Amino acid sequence: MPRPRAALRRAQTAVLAAVLGGLLTVLIGLIGLVPAPAHAADRTDDAAPLAVTIDTLTPSAMTPHRGGTVTVTGTVTNTDDQPWVDVTLYPFASAAPMTTTGELAAAAGVDQTVEVGPRILTDLVRIGDLQPGEATPYTLIVPRKDLPSTQPGVYWFGVHALGSGPDGNDKVADGRARTFLPLLRGNTAPVSAAVLVPLRAHVVHNPDGSVADLDAWQRLLSPTGRLARAREAATSSGGQSLSWLVDPGVVDAVRQLAAGNPPRNIAPTEKSDGGATESASPTPSPSAEPDPAADSQTTTVATLASSWLDAILPVLKQSEVLALPYGDLDLSAAAAHDPEVYETARSRSVALFEGLGITATQVNAPPRGVLSPDALTMTETGTPMVLSDAALPEDLASTGSAAPAVLSAGAWRVAVSSSAAASGGPGPDDPLAGVSLRQRVLAEAAVRALDPTHPPLVVTLPERWHVADPAGFVRGLSQPWLQLNGLGAAMNSQLATQVDEKDLHYPASAAREQLPGTRFASANALMRTGRTLQRVLARNDTVAAEVVDEALTDLGYPARDSVSDGAASSRGWIETQLGQIRVQAPSGVTLSGASGRFAATVVNGLDQPVTVAIRALQNDPGIAVSAPRSVQIAALGRITVLLDAKATRAGVHNVQLQLVDSDGTRLGESVRVPIRAAHVSRIIWLFLAVGGALLFGAIAVRLVRRVRAARRPDLPDDDAPAARSEHQVHAGE
């Protein structure tokens, strides 16, 4: 038995739909006075009992010629808890085209229950009965002559599903799928356009520097994953016509995964004395025993990552690559907390693409398309900016016509990306599904082709686009009136609209989402620790750059969704490694006088050679301790170092011995050494001085007497006998 109230409601809905359909036609004729919602995905859904999808649409645009067919395929699913019988599918199309961006915006916001075009009754497909949860594919072939008009513009096109359910069959559509279908003449002047495909992802590192969350990367790189589908779009026919918006941190992470996801490399990377490069195999992480399951996943992900790189890198070398700052740096947060990190992220981005042999244009393109005024002025004036039309000043955003595609904001040149095109189709199907998204891009291009000013189109595809048929998506964009020649060409095809950079819109909600200053402080501490580690390692000249890259991925837009501080964990790991280099000293030292030498031992617990120095922290002015400028210790070795101590007063002096790197940065804990100095009394020095004076004085007196005696004249003759007699007496003795 039919339920009377439900039947009445459906009848009322049918009447209301007819009335609204007539009103919609009037509104479309008046340039779309229905306001568009902020996002296509926010539209109401009546949860129709029959869910219809459009998976392919061929061709993706029509010409005025009446020959040929339009083929649409998809599925229809019974989402009700009751059977539906005699399900039939009908194509439909609107009678009049839409010709402006305002009309498209109004149409995208129309509720799915509103009838936007008459059914084509001659081209139906009978599906039959569907049990609850049952789905079946369909194919509709519509002769071009059955489509209602040949006027240029954008038409509604879609599929209605009708059947008999619990309330019978009231001829009102029980399921719908709708999209846009452009129609332009073949000689229409082409619109310059750039479709930017993002290669963005959240890169997180383990404390030992390996890439974390292998489950997420396996999903991204698997055949149905977002990065894998982007690769398929790149390698399809026409993939080189797309522009690739690339975070170099993502490419680096995939390279690391392809290499087996090694931890941070602290092994020698410089050439040894013999001229050969030593092994650069990374030091294993000091963790527990390896997990066999994890090793198996690492191998799986490595295979997926290698395949992805092998396919996409050659395409990137032949396509327009738009390089983001390394790690997809949160520009507005960086401007607020650490503007200098922008230069670091930019230089790391340049280095990566140069190393890969890829010609890349450095750009700034925040995912939400809005940027704080400070972030704009932080960047170089020659670097192109890609912002959304959501950033336009109010007087430009509310005109109802196509937004200017190029702005001159002070000294900065800004490409304006269409948020409408990126929002996808009108629903009720998934607005970001392949056909929905592609047809919205084509529709936005078509109305611009009809605009006398011929404005270019810039579209940044949503970061999480999930096109099931990437190759079909790309092929469908190939139209004679759409010239995908890249961002640079699109920006150069139109004169820039002058705006004051302070008038660009930056909503308070975007400011609240910025990364906090504590993240930047932590990342900078990690970078400093990485530089210290490189100075300590005797023959490694790469680890500091690796650590900088890891720190930058913790400062990107994707990191806004993370509450963990990965930089702090990585810094702890490095400090643990540095802590394995320590100094040992005697528990006490006694000097025999005011100065002397004593020994300390430097122990290297790392399996890599290191170079350090010992410094005495001179907290006690009564003693000075000096040591060699630096010492090199072999892997897992130790070395004894002699230190010179000199006291200026007697007593016990406490000296702190500290290991430092070549820059004087302290390593680990210091060691306290008590040094006893026996100072000599001043009275003793006085006695020694007096005694020395008497000794040297006596010597001087004797020397003087001898000299005088040698100079005396000979004795007189009278005295000679006496002298001889005395001589004889002595001789006789």
Side-chain angles (χ1 to χ4, degrees):
M1 292 286 294
R3 290 172 283 189
R5 291 184 181 177
L8 179 60
R9 280 199 307 271
R10 295 179 71 83
Q12 290 173 339
T13 301
V15 173
L16 180 60
V19 173
L20 289 176
L23 289 174
L24 175 66
T25 304
V26 175
L27 289 174
I28 288 177
L30 294 176
I31 316 182
L33 299 179
V34 179
H39 215 286
D42 296 332
R43 292 180 287 271
T44 358
D45 189 346
D46 280 2
L50 298 177
V52 185
T53 67
I54 296 178
D55 296 337
T56 67
L57 177 63
T58 309
S60 54
M62 300 184 295
T63 63
H65 301 296
R66 304 293 289 185
T69 60
V70 173
T71 302
V72 55
T73 68
T75 60
V76 55
T77 305
N78 179 5
T79 62
D80 203 353
D81 56 2
Q82 300 292 327
W84 280 75
V85 300
D86 195 21
V87 176
T88 306
L89 301 182
Y90 299 90
F92 72 86
S94 58
M98 295 166 273
T99 58
T100 67
T101 57
E103 290 176 320
L104 286 178
V110 171
D111 188 85
Q112 64 161 317
T113 59
V114 175
E115 302 294 337
V116 293
R119 296 175 195 141
I120 304 172
L121 303 178
T122 56
D123 302 316
L124 60 88
V125 170
R126 299 191 184 278
I127 299 297
D129 300 343
L130 290 176
Q131 297 302 314
E134 184 180 1
T136 189
Y138 73 86
T139 299
L140 273 170
I141 301 176
V142 184
R144 175 66 184 83
K145 62 181 179 59
D146 292 345
L147 295 174
S149 179
T150 58
Q151 293 180 344
V154 177
Y155 291 83
W156 281 103
F157 182 81
V159 178
H160 283 171
L162 282 78
S164 296
D167 300 329
N169 189 339
D170 54 12
K171 304 303 180 184
V172 176
D174 302 300
R176 301 170 177 82
R178 309 180 301 179
T179 189
F180 297 134
L181 185 59
L183 186 155
L184 289 180
R185 295 186 176 90
N187 60 355
T188 303
V191 172
S192 181
V195 176
L196 280 52
V197 183
L199 294 182
R200 283 169 149 147
H202 189 191
V203 179
V204 182
H205 292 92
N206 292 314
D208 66 354
S210 58
V211 178
D213 199 359
L214 293 187
D215 289 339
W217 286 100
Q218 188 169 347
R219 290 192 298 270
L220 286 169
L221 295 168
S222 65
T224 58
R226 179 164 52 85
L227 290 181
R229 285 178 169 169
R231 176 198 65 187
E232 188 178 341
T235 55
S236 65
S237 174
Q240 296 175 15
S241 62
L242 301 174
S243 300
W244 298 91
L245 190 62
V246 186
D247 172 10
V250 171
V251 178
D252 242 358
V254 178
R255 294 170 70 200
Q256 187 171 353
L257 292 170
N261 198 21
R264 190 176 295 111
N265 179 28
I266 64 173
T269 56
E270 295 180 343
K271 290 184 178 180
S272 63
D273 294 338
T277 303
E278 297 189 13
S279 171
S281 57
T283 300
S285 173
S287 58
E289 291 297 322
D291 181 2
D295 289 347
S296 173
Q297 185 180 39
T298 299
T299 302
T300 300
V301 174
T303 302
L304 292 171
S306 297
S307 174
W308 189 84
L309 289 170
D310 290 343
I312 204 166
L313 289 181
V315 177
L316 294 182
K317 291 179 180 180
Q318 302 175 29
S319 306
E320 182 183 56
V321 174
L322 307 173
L324 297 165
Y326 197 101
D328 201 4
L329 181 68
D330 186 335
L331 299 171
S332 297
H337 304 298
D338 185 11
E340 292 182 0
V341 78
Y342 170 76
E343 292 299 329
T344 302
R346 180 59 69 202
S347 64
R348 293 302 302 154
S349 177
V350 171
L352 179 124
F353 287 108
E354 286 182 350
L356 292 174
I358 295 175
T359 302
T361 301
Q362 300 293 317
V363 301
N364 294 311
R368 281 190 56 175
V370 292
L371 203 62
S372 69
D374 289 341
L376 181 67
T377 56
M378 174 187 71
T379 62
E380 312 96 325
T381 56
T383 301
M385 202 76 57
V386 182
L387 300 181
S388 164
D389 46 26
L392 289 174
E394 187 176 352
D395 58 333
L396 292 176
S398 58
T399 60
S401 58
V406 186
L407 300 178
S408 180
W412 290 267
R413 194 166 174 84
V414 180
V416 181
S417 180
S418 170
S419 60
S423 67
D429 198 3
D430 182 354
L432 298 182
V435 171
S436 296
L437 183 59
R438 183 193 68 193
Q439 296 305 115
R440 183 61 185 274
V441 172
L442 288 174
E444 294 289 340
V447 295
R448 284 167 172 77
L450 296 174
D451 189 322
T453 63
H454 233 54
L457 173 66
V458 178
V459 182
T460 304
L461 298 184
E463 179 185 344
R464 302 192 181 278
W465 71 306
H466 48 275
V467 177
D469 180 17
F473 180 90
V474 175
R475 286 194 301 269
L477 294 176
S478 179
Q479 302 295 333
W481 42 266
L482 180 60
Q483 194 170 44
L484 293 173
N485 47 14
L487 182 67
M491 294 181 71
N492 293 332
S493 67
Q494 187 180 47
L495 292 175
T497 301
Q498 299 288 331
V499 298
D500 190 326
E501 64 267 25
K502 297 179 181 178
D503 291 338
L504 292 174
H505 183 52
Y506 187 63
S509 60
R512 289 192 295 268
E513 293 173 355
Q514 292 176 188
L515 288 172
T518 52
R519 283 287 187 89
F520 287 83
S522 182
N524 274 307
L526 173 60
M527 293 182 199
R528 289 193 299 270
T529 308
R531 289 190 286 268
T532 298
L533 178 61
Q534 180 167 306
R535 287 192 293 265
V536 166
L537 295 172
R539 294 194 297 275
N540 185 300
D541 59 357
T542 62
V543 69
E546 290 179 29
V547 173
V548 167
D549 293 345
E550 294 165 20
L552 290 173
T553 60
D554 209 41
L555 299 178
Y557 288 103
R560 287 180 170 185
D561 298 329
S562 174
V563 296
S564 62
D565 187 350
S569 300
S570 294
R571 187 173 72 253
W573 185 93
I574 296 176
E575 289 173 347
T576 299
Q577 304 304 303
L578 294 173
Q580 296 185 52
I581 311 167
R582 60 192 186 279
V583 60
Q584 296 175 345
S587 57
V589 174
T590 300
L591 303 179
S592 59
S595 63
R597 308 182 87 183
F598 67 96
T601 302
V602 181
V603 179
N604 177 18
L606 295 177
D607 60 355
Q608 307 297 335
V610 299
T611 302
V612 295
I614 300 178
R615 293 290 179 268
L617 306 182
Q618 305 296 134
N619 297 326
D620 189 338
I623 193 168
V625 177
S626 59
R629 297 184 64 87
S630 66
V631 292
Q632 184 166 338
I633 309 99
L636 300 175
R638 60 175 56 215
I639 191 170
T640 300
V641 181
L642 293 177
L643 294 88
D644 293 316
K646 184 176 182 180
T648 57
R649 57 181 175 81
V652 177
H653 305 274
N654 290 314
V655 175
Q656 299 286 336
L657 297 183
Q658 175 73 62
L659 288 179
V660 298
D661 67 7
S662 59
D663 255 17
T665 303
R666 299 181 183 183
L667 309 173
E669 299 293 331
S670 62
V671 176
R672 188 175 71 90
V673 182
I675 301 177
R676 180 182 297 276
H679 190 58
V680 181
S681 171
R682 292 181 180 178
I683 295 177
I684 294 176
W685 287 113
L686 178 61
F687 285 151
L688 291 175
V690 171
L694 291 173
L695 174 63
F696 287 110
I699 293 172
V701 169
R702 276 184 79 85
L703 289 174
V704 169
R705 286 178 177 176
R706 286 184 179 181
V707 170
R708 287 179 178 177
R711 291 178 179 177
R712 282 180 191 167
D714 294 340
L715 295 173
D717 293 340
D718 294 342
D719 295 336
R724 284 194 299 270
S725 176
E726 183 180 355
H727 177 69
Q728 292 171 353
V729 170
H730 285 292
E733 294 176 357

